């Protein structure tokens, strides 16, 4: 196994000895480490690249250096450099192309590898294709420790943090469940990892909205092998065919402050991952659910002073009467993506125009991949379909089929134009498309259906964004089960999990835990709440927030919740995140966290006393403040504010007293200091943003 230059080279070992930074901004040392790693691993003609594959019977390590190699480098913008490294088979049978982006403002590199048959004959078998294949070596003073969170399982413990010590002989493989194909599905399905090593660590992300796999296996006394890629690849390529690996992103950090490393990730994510519009990242949003096309759905909120950013029309607006599902499940009869004129005789345009005239926008739900009704438009086009199983809840539209993909792009784009759709919401229900993908493959084409499908799915979203530059995309797959890095580059998850309904045991405290764990990785996520006491609805505050139907009885609660969420949501997206208590699902604890926006020198705190907690108070030591500055701290439940120094808030702490199960929300700001513009500065959403 080759030795990666991340830790083993003498120059980098020397850099690790330099003093660490307490700030969440990247340091010069971290930038130098990342630059060295790119030079020695992605651009070197001597060292093998950080990916691997088998071609025929041989491993790429045995032959890749003998293939012709070319490098081109271009400047994307002031922050990014694009490196393309191409290897060509001696007889021009296969071309391997690594497309890498080096960031000059963060210690990050990312790459995707493409394999193309450039001959006139079928290629040899390409198998065990890994977009990431690294062998690390550490010093002996401490162990490797892997940090991450669980994927979504529609349970209270979705997004639960874990910490795994990778001692000698330990190996661990992560992947979505074996019937899934959804990229952030299940306990072992979160495709983001933070590996601590002596002196620092690396954050890794696998961008693949399909069935990926990532393994960490100890080697000897000090070694660790990391491999990641599409889970199953064993295929020959026909002339002209091209497949790709998952996107791999790597952030290098140093020191021993895990929270700082996650905030470094959050800052890079906001600048370079989350979709931007008019030069700014996606702003926080608030939404309401609307049924039919009744203008009164929106008007009722407007007259009560609630102006939602999104009017959300969910499933069931298409023909649902002909299909295997009835009653409350009739919405599963998908496959005809036309408006049911018995429900909406004039379509949605009048409503979407009315929403925009009132500083709102219109979202429409789609589920184009799953064909729930064999009697539907798509159900009658078997040449476009991948036969499903009972676990997929219907056949699957083959997005790797150019004809099917072309129809979908044009049809959805046409509806965006005619109906005035501002947000395209895409869902994917059932256990997942993986069985349909694999049932199509032969023994010598394993993984190729999935690969073409994933390329088609990303091309579909890219086409919509090109045709409609102001279109927003909401990623959903039975909740938060498809939120890998490639997906997050094009969308935001307005719903982080389907674990949101009042009849679900533990749903309130569970959503506190969702915020706690997911905030380490995704600055922007959302949910909805249908419970109207403050302890409950405060447990759901997110970058995207919404509540259930407005009634006379719940109007005061909804006005309070929407108002409070708007005041904290900007910090939740653009601030640094600090857990202030340990994570726990238990009912006898307090839970709390802080979001701090450095550019404003302001932030917010949320804290919850759970039902069985024996203590009626807690002291929370805040983070990231300026010790000598004075802060005005406001309790949302109290009419007055208090003044405290940063030093006092970070050492003595903020004391919170709750006589029983309850919640508190605070915000704070520095006084007598002008706001300094910066990349994390929050501004309220404007009409043009939507």
């Amino acid at each position: 196994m080759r030795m990666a230059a991340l830790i083993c080279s003498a120059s980098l070992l020397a850099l690790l000895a330099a003093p660490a930074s307490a700030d969440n901004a990247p340091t010069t040392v971290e930038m130098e480490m990342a630059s060295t790693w790119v030079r020695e691993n992605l651009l070197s003609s001597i060292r093998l690249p950080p990916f691997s594959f088998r071609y025929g019977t041989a491993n790429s390590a045995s032959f890749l250096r003998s293939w012709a190699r070319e490098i081109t480098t271009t400047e994307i913008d002031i922050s990014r450099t694009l490196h393309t490294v191409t290897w060509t088979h001696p007889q021009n049978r296969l071309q391997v192309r690594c497309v890498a982006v080096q960031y000059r403002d963060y210690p990050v590199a990312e790459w995707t590898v493409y394999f193309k048959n450039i001959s006139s004959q079928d290629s040899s078998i390409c198998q065990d294709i890994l977009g990431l294949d690294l062998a690390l070596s550490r010093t002996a003073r401490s162990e490797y420790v892997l940090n991450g969170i669980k994927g979504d399982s529609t349970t209270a413990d979705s997004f639960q943090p874990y910490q795994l010590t990778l001692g000698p002989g330990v190996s661990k493989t992560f992947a979505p469940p074996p019937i899934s194909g959804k990229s952030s599905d299940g306990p072992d399905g979160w495709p983001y990892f933070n590996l601590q090593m002596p002196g620092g660590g690396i954050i890794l992300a696998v961008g693949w909205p399909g069935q990926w796999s990532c393994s960490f296996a100890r080697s000897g006394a000090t070694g660790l092998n990391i491999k990641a890629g599409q889970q199953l690849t064993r295929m020959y390529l026909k002339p002209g065919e091209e497949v790709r690996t998952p996107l791999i992103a790597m952030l290098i950090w140093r020191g021993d402050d895990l929270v700082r490393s996650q905030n470094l990730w959050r800052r890079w994510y906001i600048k370079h991952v989350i979709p931007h519009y008019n030069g700014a990242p996606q702003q926080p949003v608030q939404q309401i659910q609307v049924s039919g096309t009744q203008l009164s759905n929106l008007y009722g909120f407007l007259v009560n002073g609630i102006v939602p950013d999104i009017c959300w029309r969910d499933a069931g607006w298409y023909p649902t009467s002909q299909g295997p599902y009835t009653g409350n499940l009739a919405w599963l009869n998908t496959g005809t993506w036309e408006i049911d004129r018995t429900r909406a005789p004039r379509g949605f345009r009048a409503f979407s125009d009315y929403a925009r005239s009132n500083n709102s926008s219109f979202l429409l739900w789609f589920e184009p991949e799953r064909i729930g009704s064999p009697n539907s438009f798509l159900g009658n086009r078997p040449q476009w379909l991948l036969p499903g199983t009972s676990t997929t809840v219907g056949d699957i539209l083959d997005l790797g089929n150019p004809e099917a993909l072309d129809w979908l792009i044009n049809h959805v784009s046409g509806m965006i134009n005619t109906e005035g759709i501002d947000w395209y919401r895409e869902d994917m229900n059932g256990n997942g498309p993986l069985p349909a993908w694999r049932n199509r493959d032969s023994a010598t084409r394993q993984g190729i259906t999935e690969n073409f499908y994933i390329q088609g799915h990303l091309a579909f979203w890219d086409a919509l964004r090109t045709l409609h530059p102001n279109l927003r995309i909401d990623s959903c797959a039975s909740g938060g089960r498809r939120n890998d890095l490639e997906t997050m580059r094009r969308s935001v998850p307005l719903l982080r999990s389907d674990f949101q309904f009042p009849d679900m045991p533990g749903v309130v405290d569970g959503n506190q835990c969702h915020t706690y764990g997911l905030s380490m990785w995704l600055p922007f996520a959302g949910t909805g709440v249908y419970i109207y006491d403050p302890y409950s609805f405060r447990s759901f505050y997110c970058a995207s927030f919404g509540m259930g139907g407005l009634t006379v009885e719940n109007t005061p609660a909804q006005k309070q919740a929407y108002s409070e969420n708007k005041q904290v949501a900007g910090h939740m997206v653009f601030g640094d995140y600090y857990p202030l208590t340990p994570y726990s699902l238990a009912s006898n604890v307090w839970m709390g966290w802080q979001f701090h926006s450095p550019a404003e020198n302001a932030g917010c705190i949320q804290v919850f006393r759970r039902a069985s907690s024996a203590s009626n108070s807690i002291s929370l030591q805040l983070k990231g403040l300026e010790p000598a500055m004075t802060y005005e701290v406001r309790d949302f439940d109290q009419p007055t504010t208090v003044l405290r120094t940063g030093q006092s808030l970070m050492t003595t702490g903020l004391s919170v007293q709750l006589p029983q199960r309850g919640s508190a929300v605070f915000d704070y700001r520095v006084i007598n200091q002008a706001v300094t513009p910066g990349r994390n500065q929050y501004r309220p959403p404007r009409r043009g943003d939507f």
Side-chain angles (χ1 to χ4, degrees), residues 16-35:
L16 283 170
S21 170
D23 187 16
N24 293 323
T27 66
T28 301
V29 171
E30 288 166 335
M31 296 303 299
E32 290 174 354
M33 291 175 70
S35 179

Side-chain angles (χ1 to χ4, degrees), residues 507-665:
V507 70
V508 174
D509 291 354
N511 268 272
Q512 296 168 17
C513 291
H514 286 193
T515 299
Y516 188 108
L518 192 58
S519 295
M520 300 177 188
W521 293 101
L522 299 187
F524 191 108
T527 191
V529 58
Y530 311 98
I531 315 173
Y532 303 101
D533 67 279
Y535 180 89
S536 297
F537 61 64
R538 285 173 170 176
S539 299
F540 290 76
Y541 286 172
C542 279
S544 167
F545 175 80
M547 302 188 80
L550 196 68
T551 66
V552 173
E553 293 75 19
N554 68 37
T555 293
Q558 295 218 37
K559 293 176 71 173
Q560 178 185 351
Y562 278 108
S563 174
E564 289 185 353
N565 186 81
K566 186 178 288 290
Q567 295 173 71
V568 302
H571 297 303
M572 298 182 80
V573 178
F574 301 113
D576 295 330
Y577 169 60
Y578 296 101
L580 299 178
T581 65
Y583 174 96
S584 179
L585 284 162
S587 63
N588 62 345
V589 301
W590 288 67
M591 285 274 287
W593 52 79
Q594 171 195 4
F595 291 92
H596 177 71
S597 300
E600 295 179 87
N601 215 338
C604 64
I605 304 107
Q606 282 187 266
V607 59
F608 301 89
R609 179 188 177 183
R610 292 187 176 162
S612 300
S613 173
S615 174
N616 63 4
S617 66
I618 191 173
S619 182
L620 302 171
Q621 281 71 46
L622 303 191
K623 312 294 182 182
L625 308 183
E626 296 288 344
M629 293 291 182
T630 299
Y631 292 83
E632 181 182 65
V633 183
R634 179 174 65 111
D635 183 341
F636 282 23
D637 295 320
Q638 301 295 331
T640 59
T641 61
V642 297
L643 300 180
R644 298 278 301 278
T645 66
Q647 180 71 27
S648 172
L649 288 168
M650 292 190 292
T651 55
T652 304
L654 177 68
S655 179
V656 183
Q657 294 186 350
L658 295 171
Q660 56 192 358
R661 175 183 181 266
S663 62
V665 182

Side-chain angles (χ1 to χ4, degrees), residues 321-613:
S321 59
Q322 293 187 345
Y325 301 99
T326 59
N328 291 335
L329 295 179
W331 65 272
L332 288 169
N333 293 323
T334 54
T336 299
W337 297 106
E338 301 288 351
I339 298 171
D340 184 348
R341 297 293 170 173
T342 63
R343 292 187 176 97
R346 296 189 299 157
F348 296 123
R349 188 70 199 213
F351 182 89
S352 66
D353 285 347
Y354 176 72
R356 282 184 293 275
S357 72
N358 284 280
N359 297 334
S360 189
S361 63
F362 181 61
L363 175 150
L364 191 60
W365 180 98
F366 289 81
E367 193 184 3
E369 298 164 271
R370 184 184 58 83
I371 314 304
S373 172
N375 301 318
S376 64
F377 174 85
L378 291 175
N380 283 294
R381 281 156 179 78
Q383 72 276 17
W384 290 357
L385 305 183
L386 300 172
T389 66
S390 59
T391 60
T392 60
V393 198
D395 294 340
I396 300 296
L397 180 64
D398 185 6
L399 298 182
N401 180 316
E403 186 180 7
L405 177 62
D406 184 67
W407 173 84
L408 183 63
I409 292 171
N410 287 297
H411 185 74
V412 174
S413 177
M415 289 194 67
I416 291 170
N417 284 327
T418 59
E419 306 307 318
I421 299 170
D422 303 293
W423 284 80
Y424 167 79
R425 173 173 170 81
E426 186 175 286
D427 205 344
M428 200 334 170
N429 290 292
N431 284 328
L434 185 62
W437 292 338
R438 292 191 174 173
N439 289 343
R440 171 63 63 88
D441 294 336
S442 66
T444 55
R445 298 275 276 178
Q446 292 179 326
I448 201 160
T449 300
E450 175 184 349
N451 204 287
F452 289 162
Y453 185 104
I454 296 304
Q455 292 188 63
H457 186 260
L458 295 176
F460 167 50
W461 281 14
D462 288 342
L464 291 185
R465 297 179 72 213
T466 298
L467 294 168
H468 308 278
N470 290 319
L471 178 73
R472 270 65 164 169
I473 298 178
D474 168 28
S475 169
C476 181
S478 294
R481 300 180 190 234
R482 188 159 60 186
N483 289 333
D484 61 282
L485 196 63
E486 282 279 39
T487 301
M488 295 296 92
R489 274 261 161 81
R490 298 161 170 83
S491 65
V492 292
L494 296 183
L495 183 63
R496 64 188 178 189
S497 176
D498 279 341
F499 189 68
Q500 59 172 335
F501 299 106
D503 60 347
M504 294 178 163
V507 70
V508 174
D509 291 354
N511 268 272
Q512 296 168 17
C513 291
H514 286 193
T515 299
Y516 188 108
L518 192 58
S519 295
M520 300 177 188
W521 293 101
L522 299 187
F524 191 108
T527 191
V529 58
Y530 311 98
I531 315 173
Y532 303 101
D533 67 279
Y535 180 89
S536 297
F537 61 64
R538 285 173 170 176
S539 299
F540 290 76
Y541 286 172
C542 279
S544 167
F545 175 80
M547 302 188 80
L550 196 68
T551 66
V552 173
E553 293 75 19
N554 68 37
T555 293
Q558 295 218 37
K559 293 176 71 173
Q560 178 185 351
Y562 278 108
S563 174
E564 289 185 353
N565 186 81
K566 186 178 288 290
Q567 295 173 71
V568 302
H571 297 303
M572 298 182 80
V573 178
F574 301 113
D576 295 330
Y577 169 60
Y578 296 101
L580 299 178
T581 65
Y583 174 96
S584 179
L585 284 162
S587 63
N588 62 345
V589 301
W590 288 67
M591 285 274 287
W593 52 79
Q594 171 195 4
F595 291 92
H596 177 71
S597 300
E600 295 179 87
N601 215 338
C604 64
I605 304 107
Q606 282 187 266
V607 59
F608 301 89
R609 179 188 177 183
R610 292 187 176 162
S612 300
S613 173

